[in-house]
Amino acid sequence: MFQLTATPASALSDEPVHIRATGLPPLQLVTLAASLKDEKGHLYRSKAFYRADEAGELDLKQAPAVGGDYVGVHPMGLFWSMKPDRPFGRLLKRDVNSPFLVTLDLYDSVCSQDSATAQPRASQVVQRWFSSPGTQRVPIREGRVRGALFLPPGEGPFPGIVDMFGGIGGLIEFRASLLAAHGFAVLALAYFAYEDLPKHMQEVDLEYFEEAANLLLAHPKIRGTGIGVLSVCKGAEIGLAMACFLKQVVATVCINGPTALYDFPFRYRGLVMSPIPSFLERMQVHVSGAVSLLRYRGDPREKLNQRSVFPIEKAQGQILFIIGEDDQSVNSKEYAKQALEQLKSHGRSNGRMLLYPGAGHLLEPPYAPLCYASRIYPISAPLNNPISLSYNYSFSQPLLWGGDPAAHAAAQEHAWGEIQKFFRQHLTQTRSEL
């Protein structure tokens, strides 16, 4: 009798699942499929073909997929290889208090997911959570700051982190909530397109982010030795600015972001910086119809653009650049290399880079599907409200992010562990050790 098991059947989304099938005819070719619906009802699916062993068993920790959405031994391949039925979709968890429900189906032949007549011989539903029991979610509406603070169970004090995403806007909480499950107190910070914040980004006002850093550091459950910043894309640009100008920031992770100012002016107290020019005519259209912005932005190495490069040598804390080498949106590898050279030229050694071949722009926590391209409507806006990438240009075409699915998945799994090690190391020291 066909049996399909997935253990644990309920777990955090960054935990692996052990998938096995038993009761199969010896050497039987079978199809394993996975599917889930996001909170808007959009479907994501994957499938892979396997051959049972001579005992009629199949263990994804050992058995290679022979075809389908991936090949080789990939125990979590059914999760990270999911693709949207809707073109240019991006899987995002909006409500961290409910799980994604992933349905695993076992078919006794090589079959297409699209076959309406095939019936699975066994099925299993797996719950993938983004919050652990006891985690406290505290809405933040203090001064200008808007976001949500996630506190682990217990008295603390906990290492504090500000978590920011990029041009999608709104408030995205799943990464902050997951980190709280690992013992960090994390402020998911919105900075446009949320509640009473500006609907569109118009400038980078660092005083807003300084207010958020001070708010987090003043919390009684936060370890008072300084805070960390975790950021991606436009958020990584802001995160680097925080590292350069705010003494409260002692550890910064920048995922695939620039090291200079783009698209919007920057303001901090009496300092005003202008962005490096961008060139719409340099955009390239991929065969999928998505647009690559790799050549869209001006070069920070040009003499006239130097005034828009962040003074990274002023950063007192540690900086970790996490780079996908197949990033098709930002030339993040070159930016990080320039930043490290800039540090070295000033006798500083407080930065390092993790480079992941084959990984794209949108590096997420482990086992999330690769998003190769997507639209960037603000998360809280209707679908007729494209984001503004420059002062007077609204961008409604999908953007290309890049990445090879298997390499991207390996990068996400490794980087997630490195991010936690980095913050544990640098947010638990005393100020005298920094």
Side-chain angles (χ1 to χ4, degrees), residues 20 38 43 72 98 152 154 160 196 279 291 319 335-336 375 385 399:
R20 297 181 68 242
D38 70 10
L43 186 63
S98 64
D196 57 350
F279 303 90
V291 170
I319 302 171
Y335 290 130
R375 302 186 188 278
N385 187 11
L399 293 186

Side-chain angles (χ1 to χ4, degrees), residues 106-232:
L106 172 67
Y107 299 87
D108 61 359
S109 62
V110 174
C111 67
S112 166
Q113 278 184 334
D114 302 323
S115 172
T117 56
Q119 292 295 318
R121 297 296 300 271
S123 297
Q124 173 89 7
V125 176
V126 175
Q127 296 182 359
R128 305 293 284 166
W129 290 89
F130 292 81
S131 182
S132 61
T135 298
Q136 184 182 3
R137 180 189 182 275
V138 182
I140 299 297
R141 289 182 56 91
E142 295 189 31
R144 293 189 296 164
V145 179
R146 302 291 179 264
L149 176 61
F150 290 89
L151 295 168
E155 293 302 312
F158 307 107
I161 299 170
V162 172
D163 182 36
M164 296 183 294
F165 281 76
I168 197 170
L171 180 62
I172 305 177
E173 304 178 11
F174 68 87
R175 193 169 61 188
S177 181
L178 265 182
L179 275 177
H182 296 284
F184 298 95
V186 190
L187 172 60
L189 183 64
Y191 53 97
F192 77 98
Y194 179 71
E195 292 190 352
D196 57 350
L197 295 174
K199 290 184 179 179
H200 299 280
M201 199 164 185
Q202 298 167 334
E203 66 174 3
V204 176
D205 177 6
L206 196 64
E207 292 182 33
Y208 173 81
F209 301 93
E210 183 176 40
E211 189 177 337
N214 287 334
L215 185 153
L216 181 61
L217 199 53
H219 194 282
K221 287 194 174 184
I222 302 302
R223 191 186 303 272
T225 55
I227 64 160
V229 175
L230 174 59
S231 50
V232 63

Side-chain angles (χ1 to χ4, degrees), residues 201-204 233-234 237-238 257-266 273-279 282 293-302 305-310 329-332 334-335 338 388-391:
M201 199 164 185
Q202 298 167 334
E203 66 174 3
V204 176
C233 192
K234 185 66 179 181
E237 178 186 312
I238 297 169
T259 53
L261 185 66
Y262 285 97
D263 297 322
F264 308 100
F266 171 93
M273 293 170 61
S274 298
I276 293 176
S278 299
F279 303 90
R282 294 183 185 175
L293 296 180
L294 271 180
R295 298 179 65 246
Y296 160 80
R297 298 174 174 91
D299 190 338
R301 291 170 295 191
E302 294 180 7
N305 293 335
Q306 288 295 302
R307 65 186 185 278
S308 303
V309 176
F310 290 120
S329 176
V330 176
N331 198 351
S332 49
E334 287 304 312
Y335 290 130
Q338 291 164 27
S388 173
L389 279 183
S390 60
Y391 303 121

